[in-house]
Amino acid sequence: MVTFHLREDCVARTAMNLRRGMTDRRFLELEITEWLSSKERRRQLEGEAYYDGKQAILRKKRMALDKDGELVEVKYLPNNRILNNQYAKMVDQKTNYSFGRPFSFDTENRQYAEALNAVLGAGFRRFLRAVGEGAWIGGKCWVYPYYEDRELAFRRFPADEVLPFWADADHTILDAAVHVYVIQVYDSSEKVKLVTKAEVFHGGGVDCFIREDDGRLVPDPDAASGPYTITTEPDLGPRRDNWGRIPLVCFKSSPHELPLLSRVKCLQDAYNDVLSNFANRMEEDVHSTLLVLKNYEGEDLGRFRHNLATYGAVKVRSYEGSEGGVDTLTLEVNSENYKVLLSLLKDAIIENAGGYDAKDDRMSGNPNQMNIQSMYSDIDLDANGIELEFQAAMEELLWFVKRYLANTGKGSFEGAQAKAIFDRDVLINETEVINNCKASVGILSDETIVKNHPWISDPEQELERIKREREEVGADPYQAVFLANRQRAPSAEGGESDGE
């Protein structure tokens, strides 16, 4: 049976149910059933679907009123379902802006920095980018650290697969969590069958269940419940480890944990509708010209359209002195109205999603750094928020890295501190930044100047190169630049300095 060890400040409903004598397993069955159909999870699934292009426009139908005033589908009219996925573009843009470039660790312990770079190398950096994308799509993303062949590994759980039980209102302390996922198996008749599995993470380890169609949880015969990790030592044999805390780290896009789609869904749907309706109007050749019939021999308009399309002729007659004939009224589609509306919707999507428009007018010509910063102001605000959340989550994840390093004899860094620094992928005016770096020689330290230079990708390596060059040359390579700047600086009397 699952034991939670609930804290006093946990959810009141949970404590009430347990006091009433509800078993842990029954409590989980009810909670999982309610969560699977909850609004929060539907938003998370919808964010994933919209990113993949499965949007509401694909279900659009052309409707009209019938003779009884009821809406019916009209299948003979053009029904374009054009999808321009601006939302997915915003997700990719914001993900690459904050996590597209390699991050680094700021720590005073050089050995700890080397150990972190060895464990969290290029593979983990690629993994963290996927975590950032999942956080924007689902509002949060989960990372599960575990051992694989005595090496530390990580798995990513999307938001719609994890039901958390938080111990506080700010969602920072995790009491327990349930990982619910679906796999495909073959039954006795060799047909594919979908099986829902539930892994319950708690302080005592993990318990594995299969969720039946009626919501009941039964033990999973193919998965072993128990401690989180089992490692094999050469001399001691199998070693069971429960870490000391639940090995699930929540990476959030913001404290509200809302998917990005919740900001722009109505705008994205409106954009697709306008674009599809414009294509419909352009294709409605029959309705672009209205035919006015005079004394037509027949009453069925469908027959008239058939004869006109087949024979290219219409039979009319004179009646009581009135001449028969066919006149036309032409209706033109004003494309400028659609262009203006599409442009407004696109700007609204970018603004509400907190992105930027690379084709902004401020980027024309030779933009200065102030114009570039103004264009990036919205995405910078969101990047500040998600990076703050990720830095707190990385601090929690590094606790497991320290445990791994200590357990495997690769070093004990119990008191060492490290902060993850995310390098943003932003456009800059390189000439302006380089000139500012040159003007700062003698005012700022070499390390600060090197870290802010746009051509430097590894500041530590570049500082080592500078140190070697100084030792080889025997002089400070910045001294000449510093003296030149002093000579060009205006004197107190308003003239040029003579350099003395």
Side-chain angles (χ1 to χ4, degrees), residues 81-376:
R81 301 181 179 93
I82 301 177
L83 192 154
N84 190 333
N85 205 339
Q86 294 292 321
Y87 158 71
K89 179 182 177 181
M90 288 295 101
V91 172
D92 292 340
Q93 184 183 92
K94 297 169 75 67
T95 300
N96 290 322
Y97 183 77
S98 295
F99 311 110
R101 297 174 64 87
F103 66 90
S104 58
F105 291 102
D106 186 8
T107 177
E108 297 179 355
N109 191 326
R110 183 175 294 274
Q111 293 181 345
Y112 186 39
E114 294 176 354
L116 291 180
N117 290 327
V119 176
L120 307 177
F124 180 82
R125 287 166 169 80
R126 180 180 62 183
F127 171 82
L128 191 64
R129 185 206 172 278
V131 173
E133 181 182 282
W136 282 123
I137 293 175
K140 56 189 172 185
C141 191
W142 298 85
V143 173
Y144 171 62
Y146 67 102
Y147 281 98
E148 183 175 346
D149 297 332
R150 300 190 74 248
E151 297 294 333
L152 187 63
F154 303 93
R155 288 177 61 190
R156 179 175 65 93
F157 296 156
D160 57 90
E161 288 187 359
V162 177
L163 167 60
F165 294 93
W166 298 102
D168 61 333
D170 293 332
H171 292 185
T172 58
I173 304 174
L174 193 63
D175 249 343
V178 183
H179 178 217
V180 182
Y181 60 101
V182 179
I183 63 172
Q184 291 182 346
V185 298
Y186 288 93
D187 57 14
S188 57
S189 60
E190 297 184 356
K191 292 184 179 180
V192 176
K193 178 183 177 181
L194 297 180
V195 176
T196 302
K197 295 198 173 187
E199 298 173 340
V200 183
F201 297 92
H202 53 91
V206 58
D207 291 317
C208 303
F209 298 94
I210 292 179
R211 185 176 184 271
E212 301 288 352
D213 295 337
D214 58 0
R216 292 186 303 109
L217 296 178
V218 298
D220 187 358
D222 299 326
S225 300
Y228 292 107
T229 60
I230 300 178
T231 58
T232 302
E233 301 293 340
D235 300 329
L236 302 177
R239 175 180 176 179
R240 299 173 180 269
D241 187 8
N242 271 331
W243 290 109
R245 63 174 66 177
I246 298 174
L248 273 180
V249 182
C250 184
F251 286 77
K252 308 175 185 178
S253 62
S254 70
H256 302 286
E257 304 174 14
L258 290 177
L260 182 63
L261 182 65
S262 61
R263 304 189 201 172
V264 298
K265 181 180 182 300
C266 59
L267 296 171
Q268 177 66 68
D269 290 339
Y271 190 95
N272 293 336
D273 285 336
V274 172
L275 193 59
S276 301
N277 289 336
F278 178 55
N280 290 340
R281 296 294 182 267
M282 298 299 293
E283 292 181 7
E284 288 178 359
D285 297 330
V286 176
H287 291 280
S288 63
T289 301
L290 299 181
L291 301 179
V292 181
L293 304 181
K294 301 176 181 179
N295 296 329
Y296 166 61
E297 286 190 346
E299 298 179 357
D300 189 355
L301 294 180
R303 173 73 62 176
F304 163 73
R305 283 293 186 183
H306 174 75
N307 292 338
L308 182 63
T310 304
Y311 304 108
V314 180
K315 293 178 63 178
V316 296
R317 60 187 175 85
S318 299
Y319 179 73
E320 296 181 353
S322 298
E323 295 292 334
V326 180
D327 295 335
T328 61
L329 296 176
T330 302
L331 301 178
E332 295 183 359
V333 179
N334 190 345
S335 61
E336 291 300 321
N337 293 340
Y338 287 93
K339 291 180 181 178
V340 171
L341 185 54
L342 288 173
S343 178
L344 291 175
L345 288 172
K346 182 179 178 180
D347 292 342
I349 291 174
I350 294 174
E351 183 175 357
N352 282 270
Y356 68 90
D357 185 4
K359 299 182 179 65
D360 195 290
D361 293 337
R362 288 170 290 186
M363 295 297 292
S364 59
N366 185 23
N368 57 34
Q369 198 62 30
M370 291 299 295
N371 285 340
I372 296 176
Q373 291 177 356
S374 175
M375 187 186 71
Y376 279 91

